[in-house]
Amino acid sequence: MRIAVALALVLTLLAACAPLADTPKPVELNGTDWTLAAISGKAPVAGSNVTLKFEQGNVSGSGGCNQYNGSYTTSGSTLTFGPIAATKRACLERDKNAQETAYFEALSKVVAYEVSGDRLKLRNAGGTTLLEYERAR
């Protein structure tokens, strides 16, 4: 009886230490293109066409007014952007300018990502979704 209890205890401990079989592996971002669907939970300004492209450690796209590029790194579901460089054209529309400023600020706060189907969510350290994208077609 003691052997059976000890064996059950050992098997329970081993099961607790084993990785969960259904834990999804993060989707690789390299080679993917995205279009902004929400910024801080709100739809982007109409006609702003904010994009994000991941390619071999580099990121690029349109902030809605200006083109940008920079670097990125991933490890598991963590995502970090390096410094972002952007052109300096001013938008004629104030709401697009404000959105672009908020967009670049949000990118600087990203620490994690999640891909679910054709959606990409970028989150801050508190787990709040800052930016949400749809896969570009």
Side-chain angles (χ1 to χ4, degrees):
M1 181 72 151
R2 287 183 182 175
I3 293 175
V5 170
L7 183 59
L9 181 61
V10 167
L11 290 175
T12 301
L13 289 173
L14 287 174
C17 294
L20 297 175
D22 61 353
T23 301
K25 181 181 178 199
V27 173
E28 174 65 40
L29 293 175
N30 186 46
T32 62
D33 292 280
W34 306 91
T35 302
L36 187 67
I39 180 167
S40 298
K42 298 176 187 172
V45 173
S48 58
N49 194 32
V50 179
T51 62
L52 177 66
K53 179 178 183 172
F54 294 93
E55 193 67 47
Q56 298 179 354
N58 294 305
V59 65
S60 62
S62 170
C65 297
N66 290 283
Q67 298 298 309
Y68 69 91
N69 61 54
S71 62
Y72 76 94
T73 57
T74 60
S75 178
S77 63
T78 64
L79 170 63
T80 306
F81 292 104
I84 299 292
T87 57
K88 300 291 184 190
R89 284 188 345 196
C91 287
L92 298 177
E93 300 169 35
R94 288 177 53 173
D95 54 348
K96 285 185 181 180
N97 268 328
Q99 175 183 271
E100 185 173 80
T101 299
Y103 178 71
F104 289 139
E105 184 177 321
L107 283 178
S108 73
K109 295 178 181 177
V110 169
V111 299
Y113 76 98
E114 174 190 343
V115 176
S116 179
D118 286 339
R119 300 292 268 197
L120 167 65
K121 293 181 180 181
L122 303 184
R123 296 192 170 100
N124 66 11
T128 301
T129 299
L130 302 173
L131 302 164
E132 188 170 349
Y133 300 83
E134 294 177 338
R135 192 176 298 271
R137 306 236 182 262

